[in-house]
Amino acid sequence: MGREFLEGNEAIARAAIGAGCNFFAGYPITPSSSILHYMLEWVPQNGGTAIQGEDEIASMGFCIAAAMAGRKVLTATSGPGISLYSENIGLAIMGEVPLVIVDVQRQGPATGSATKGAESDIQFVHWVTSGGLPIIALSPATVCEAYSLTYQAFNLAEKYRTPVFLLTSKEIGVTRESVDLSRIQLPPLIERRRPVGAAEYAPHYFDRPSDVPPISDFGGEYISRFTTSTHDKLANMTADPAVIQEMIDHYKAKIDSAIDDISLYEEDLQEGAEILIVSYGITSRSTKVAVREARQKGVQVSSLTLQTLFPVPERAIKSALKGIRKVIVPEMNMGLYIHEIQRLACGMEVIGVNKMDTTLVSPRMILEQGGVL
Amino acid sequence: MSRNPHTSYMTGERGALPFCPGCGHHIIVKSLDKALVKLQKDPKEVVIVTDIGCIGLADIYFTTNAFHGLHGRSITYGCGLKLARPDLTVIVLQGDGGCGIGGTHLLNVARRNIGITLIVGNNFNYGMTGGQHSVTTPTGGITSTTPWGNVEGPMDLCGTAAAAGASWVYRATAFDKDLPDIIARAIEQPGFSMLDVWELCVAYYSPRNQVKKNDLMRLLDRHHLKTGLLANTPRPEYSAQYRAAVEKRKQVTPKPPITEKFSHSVTKQTGIVIAGAAGQKIKSTATVFAQAAMFSGLEVTQKDDYPITVMTGHSIAEIILSPETIDYTAIESPDYFIVISQEGASRARKRIESLEEACTVLVDRDISLPETRAKVERLPFAQTSKEIGRLSIATVALACLLRHSGVFPMEALKEAISTFQKSAIAEMNCKAVEAGARLVP
């Protein structure tokens, strides 16, 4: 491999194949459809199965079951598809199902501007199901990051037995860029843990709440059970409040305790800066240009780019906030991630730079509305 | 198969089945056990998938694998398991309620012929939520939600599944003595099989409608529904067909990487917009131009704008060239603006009106443009391409831009064309490059 001219969707599909993905199910939706096309072509070459479901609900049902039968699973959709996935995503969280869900975000709500960009689903995926259980969401800014974060997403899904969101957007998914994927440092692949030596398999076994239970695939060495209802470690339905709470605490603890392992971000902090711009996704690229311009004009400004959106990399954010008086949060939505920053930046001025007119937040908009220049 | 034959696939550890006394689910679940005993399946290779509904409580009473999922979606989990592991025996237990909410999955599993077995415990109402009417409630039936008698007609599940292509369809009642044998036969069908079992809901439907064992036949007659084997049309199971089809598929040879072979004269981020119409090969020509820029050592991005009805209307591509990494991928003030169709000019009207003086517009001489401060050069793109081939107009225009701007050599564009385009098209487009270059005096 050398230099190529690729769109983000293709980079994601390539990475998924590279990470050993051998099951894909999805339903066509702009701007994610090309991931479906690539996967339908390439997954069978990986010895796997890729199928277009009759709708998003069926697609996610196929994915959950295939993941529990030992496959490495990817699906891809856009905001309206996340709505239809959401009940099953709750099932995947409580069933501890490893799978990767790509959301190529577009302008919404409803059908919106189907072929145009936005980063609309940030809190939608965060709170995609009931109860406030944590989820993992990564957000690339470039085609190269779409490639590397897909590997990371598969690793996190397998390591923590949980669905992982890859929040990209039309602006990354279907924009082509000159890239050299062979120069990207990839993490070593992580595979799910399997039970060893147990007489009976407990599908949700843990000693400490933060432990990740090993998986025995359906059709494997052990008899396996899976259930959508509140259950104990053996996946037996239960109505015992103490057991129910123990399981809920486990779903939360296994993600919360791993926050440092999951937190991916880039710091560009300037000594003495009192302004911090926190950004993610495509808007972080406008931020880069804005930061360069501000510094050229003698304004000190720091920047924190988040690749992990959830769980919120609080340690990195708090550390970047030291000595800061004003925080700017540019977003291609009406202000979603800003709520996470506001609760961490107590007493500081927090300014959202927002738009949803389908065009990018420009560096000038960040500098002007953020009051930098 | 283990050495000792399996005498039951049910465990006593969980106590008695949780169904109401007299509920037909008892019979269905025990008949499934007997069917498995008859077939002597390895319990590790059997998955019982259950829906939400009273019958969905059954899976954990079995010693096989058990998968209990969302309401109406049990067919999708069964399919996912079977697609991932075609060697497994997958049996789905669903009620008539699940057949309603998950109706599309029933149609599609039948159509695809994924080799799972669906057993419907059909008692004409929702037993778990208080006896509301379902898609199979008989006309006139009294339920919590049809207190005046159901005015809707019942869905013929068997007829529906058969019409959708199910390879084996059978209607039984829970009182059929040979129910275990029928279930075993359903499981043995390699493709999708469905067994609709009519039964009594003793908590709701039966007492409200005075339906007893003997009344089931009367209900069937009233709705002109038949019992017994209703379809048996074996055809290859989905996964077998899928493997055969994908093996025939030729692998596409990957495109070669782009190495730096030429130089460029770009010193700052340069934005180029090409506005044309569907059928003018705007997107693909912009891509090959971008690849040519990469052969010249440049960083490039490309975005496209076109209507979802792809064969009509405008088509606009935006290319950014830069000697360095491109962060901001929008073009706020284009350096070059090419217009090769009236649709493109109309779509880009606002942008053309606001172009800066430093921008150069290369426009086909027959297209009318809105007022603009930019430098406008009118050129015979359409006429030139007519002589070479209608599909070459975008190449003619971009070659003209290349000669005009000198951003990278003509040879780089020819290199990209011959590397990435099919030979017949490449031959035409190499001529178009020459012709486009000649348009600049």
Side-chain angles (χ1 to χ4, degrees):
Chain A
M1 233 189 324
R3 292 228 300 162
E4 297 172 276
F5 196 47
L6 289 190
E7 60 168 26
N9 283 354
E10 181 167 357
I12 287 171
R14 291 247 205 119
I17 296 296
C21 172
N22 54 10
F23 192 90
F24 180 95
Y27 185 79
I29 183 169
T30 304
S32 88
S33 296
S34 57
I35 298 179
L36 167 68
H37 303 163
Y38 295 123
M39 296 307 277
L40 283 167
E41 192 72 63
W42 297 337
V43 169
Q45 293 171 21
N46 237 15
T49 303
I51 185 166
Q52 177 182 323
E54 57 267 31
D55 56 23
E56 281 90 347
I57 296 174
S59 301
M60 186 50 88
F62 297 164
C63 285
I64 287 172
M68 296 315 286
R71 296 299 184 105
K72 272 186 116 168
V73 176
L74 182 80
T75 186
T77 188
S78 191
I82 296 289
S83 309
L84 294 173
Y85 282 178
S86 65
E87 190 185 12
N88 260 322
I89 291 170
L91 175 63
I93 291 170
M94 84 176 310
E96 306 191 75
V97 183
L99 57 91
V100 177
I101 303 163
V102 183
D103 177 1
V104 189
Q105 298 168 94
R106 67 189 214 186
Q107 206 273 359
T111 303
S113 269
T115 60
K116 304 294 179 193
E119 295 184 310
S120 334
D121 303 336
I122 305 302
Q123 295 291 359
F124 185 20
V125 303
H126 186 199
W127 303 120
V128 68
T129 192
S130 342
L133 294 173
I135 56 111
I136 300 177
L138 309 180
S139 179
T142 63
V143 170
C144 287
E145 278 184 18
Y147 187 73
S148 60
L149 290 186
T150 301
Y151 275 86
Q152 297 279 9
F154 272 102
N155 277 353
L156 293 172
E158 295 287 326
K159 190 172 177 185
Y160 297 108
R161 259 192 85 166
T162 194
V164 174
F165 290 93
L166 191 66
L167 284 171
T168 165
S169 74
K170 175 263 170 191
E171 292 293 344
I172 297 156
V174 298
T175 298
R176 284 173 177 261
E177 294 192 65
S178 45
V179 295
D180 186 348
L181 300 182
S182 63
R183 296 176 65 168
I184 297 172
Q185 275 274 316
L186 294 172
L189 284 181
I190 297 172
E191 302 297 338
R192 63 187 66 175
R193 247 172 12 99
R194 314 268 176 190
V196 201
E200 190 189 10
Y201 169 55
H204 303 283
Y205 184 80
F206 53 87
D207 287 318
R208 288 164 307 167
S210 59
D211 290 349
V212 181
I215 303 189
S216 177
D217 303 333
F218 274 80
E221 206 184 323
Y222 295 95
I223 293 292
S224 194
R225 276 182 298 276
F226 183 91
T227 178
T228 178
S229 299
T230 47
H231 52 262
D232 60 15
K233 291 176 182 175
L234 289 161
N236 290 328
M237 212 183 282
T238 182
D240 180 340
V243 177
I244 292 172
Q245 190 61 48
E246 185 189 16
M247 295 306 293
I248 294 288
D249 289 343
H250 157 64
Y251 304 138
K252 188 162 157 54
K254 74 172 177 178
I255 307 294
D256 285 354
S257 68
I259 191 161
D260 288 338
D261 182 43
I262 300 169
S263 294
L264 302 167
Y265 55 89
E266 246 178 53
E267 283 173 326
D268 177 12
L269 307 182
Q270 197 176 26
E271 189 71 35
E274 295 190 338
I275 302 172
L276 171 71
I277 309 178
V278 182
S279 61
Y280 59 87
I282 190 70
T283 309
S284 68
R285 295 169 66 165
S286 302
T287 301
K288 270 193 182 161
V289 178
V291 167
R292 274 203 298 271
E293 202 181 318
R295 287 178 184 169
Q296 272 165 16
K297 292 187 175 157
V299 179
Q300 288 168 319
V301 55
S302 286
S303 168
L304 177 67
T305 306
L306 301 177
Q307 274 123 22
T308 300
L309 296 183
F310 301 106
V312 178
E314 293 189 6
R315 203 191 293 269
I317 296 171
K318 282 181 188 160
S319 149
L321 285 171
K322 280 187 198 130
I324 296 296
R325 294 164 70 98
K326 176 158 83 179
V327 193
I328 303 164
V329 188
E331 298 184 82
M332 271 183 97
N333 54 54
M334 295 321 288
L336 294 173
Y337 206 76
I338 194 170
H339 297 293
E340 308 302 334
I341 305 303
Q342 275 166 336
R343 68 183 170 81
L344 296 169
C346 287
M348 297 173 216
E349 185 186 4
V350 183
I351 301 175
V353 176
N354 305 95
K355 73 166 170 178
M356 270 182 81
D357 69 351
T358 75
T359 66
L360 297 179
V361 174
S362 70
R364 196 182 316 128
M365 194 175 163
I366 297 172
L367 294 172
E368 287 176 7
Q369 292 189 18
V372 180
L373 293 181
Chain B
M1 200 187 292
S2 60
R3 259 168 260 147
N4 298 321
H6 298 279
T7 52
S8 173
Y9 289 75
M10 297 192 75
T11 169
E13 284 173 24
R14 297 174 206 282
L17 288 170
F19 310 122
C20 302
C23 168
H25 294 349
H26 286 282
I27 308 170
I28 295 175
V29 169
K30 285 175 185 164
S31 298
L32 172 58
D33 181 36
K34 285 177 194 155
L36 290 170
V37 170
K38 182 177 179 186
L39 297 171
Q40 286 295 302
K41 295 275 180 191
D42 180 344
K44 287 180 184 167
E45 290 170 6
V46 176
V47 189
I48 296 180
V49 181
T50 57
D51 212 74
I52 298 294
C54 296
I55 204 160
L57 299 169
D59 57 297
I60 56 166
Y61 292 84
F62 284 86
T63 56
T64 64
N65 300 288
F67 195 114
H68 179 53
L70 300 181
H71 184 41
R73 314 302 166 198
S74 50
I75 291 172
T76 71
Y77 309 121
C79 288
L81 290 164
K82 191 72 181 176
L83 290 169
R85 288 285 304 272
D87 56 316
L88 297 180
T89 298
V90 179
I91 300 152
V92 176
L93 296 179
Q94 182 169 274
D96 41 299
C99 290
I101 185 173
T104 184
H105 311 313
L106 174 57
L107 296 181
N108 283 286
V109 67
R111 185 179 63 78
R112 292 189 179 110
N113 200 34
I114 296 175
I116 66 171
T117 297
L118 171 66
I119 300 172
V120 182
N122 186 352
N123 59 15
F124 324 120
N125 72 167
Y126 290 76
M128 192 172 247
T129 49
Q132 296 84 356
H133 77 282
S134 77
V135 291
T136 65
T137 304
T139 306
I142 308 288
T143 70
S144 312
T145 45
T146 53
W148 46 80
N150 187 23
V151 296
E152 301 172 11
M155 179 186 277
D156 174 0
L157 293 178
C158 293
T160 303
S167 77
W168 192 90
V169 178
Y170 196 105
R171 181 177 286 118
T173 77
F175 304 103
D176 292 355
K177 292 285 171 257
D178 58 347
L179 191 58
D181 294 335
I182 299 166
I183 293 175
R185 175 63 191 86
I187 292 169
E188 281 184 312
Q189 183 77 3
F192 173 66
S193 56
M194 190 187 86
L195 175 59
D196 176 19
V197 187
W198 284 38
E199 51 158 332
L200 302 181
C201 172
V202 292
Y204 298 107
Y205 198 81
S206 296
R208 281 173 175 163
N209 296 278
Q210 288 86 50
V211 174
K212 300 208 172 71
K213 179 180 171 182
N214 294 335
D215 302 310
L216 288 179
M217 298 318 280
R218 180 177 52 79
L219 278 178
L220 285 160
D221 278 348
R222 173 141 64 84
H223 290 289
H224 311 291
L225 296 172
K226 293 193 163 40
T227 52
L229 184 63
L230 300 174
N232 186 8
T233 49
R235 60 191 165 103
E237 199 271 341
Y238 180 90
S239 287
Q241 291 198 71
Y242 178 76
R243 281 294 144 221
V246 297
E247 267 162 33
K248 274 189 272 173
R249 176 84 171 152
K250 261 193 265 167
Q251 292 208 12
V252 184
T253 12
K255 303 248 174 68
I258 301 171
T259 49
E260 190 175 334
K261 293 185 177 175
F262 306 96
S263 57
H264 66 81
S265 66
V266 179
T267 53
K268 63 169 188 65
Q269 196 157 313
T270 301
I272 301 166
V273 178
I274 175 162
Q280 287 186 319
K281 299 283 165 195
I282 302 285
K283 263 177 76 176
S284 57
T285 311
T287 297
V288 87
F289 183 85
Q291 287 161 328
M294 288 176 68
F295 274 119
S296 312
L298 284 161
E299 297 296 337
V300 197
T301 65
Q302 180 187 345
K303 291 191 208 191
D304 306 306
D305 173 35
Y306 51 90
I308 45 162
T309 48
V310 292
M311 291 180 73
T312 184
H314 69 276
S315 177
I316 297 176
E318 295 187 7
I319 302 162
I320 298 175
L321 308 178
S322 174
E324 289 159 357
T325 305
I326 300 164
D327 287 317
Y328 183 50
T329 57
I331 303 175
E332 288 183 354
S333 34
D335 298 277
Y336 298 95
F337 210 107
I338 298 173
V339 185
I340 56 173
S341 88
Q342 198 61 57
E343 289 98 325
S346 307
R347 175 74 177 187
R349 186 178 58 80
K350 275 193 186 169
R351 283 186 91 175
I352 295 168
E353 283 170 352
S354 61
L355 289 174
E356 315 239 349
E357 279 164 36
C359 176
T360 301
V361 179
L362 304 179
V363 57
D364 183 82
R365 65 183 177 195
D366 296 329
I367 292 170
S368 59
L369 276 191
E371 284 292 311
T372 174
R373 284 174 296 165
K375 297 184 290 287
V376 176
E377 304 220 10
R378 298 195 155 273
L379 296 147
F381 293 140
Q383 196 198 334
T384 306
S385 69
K386 205 180 274 175
E387 291 154 18
I388 301 159
R390 194 175 50 83
L391 298 178
S392 69
I393 184 166
T395 307
V396 167
L398 279 165
C400 178
L401 166 106
L402 206 48
R403 174 54 55 83
H404 195 287
S405 63
V407 283
F408 58 80
M410 284 296 163
E411 294 314 309
L413 185 52
K414 285 191 187 166
E415 176 88 21
I417 286 170
S418 46
T419 307
F420 294 107
Q421 294 184 335
K422 285 183 187 145
S423 57
I425 295 165
E427 199 181 317
M428 172 187 76
N429 279 335
C430 282
K431 282 184 204 158
V433 171
E434 300 286 343
R438 281 196 299 270
L439 293 178
V440 179

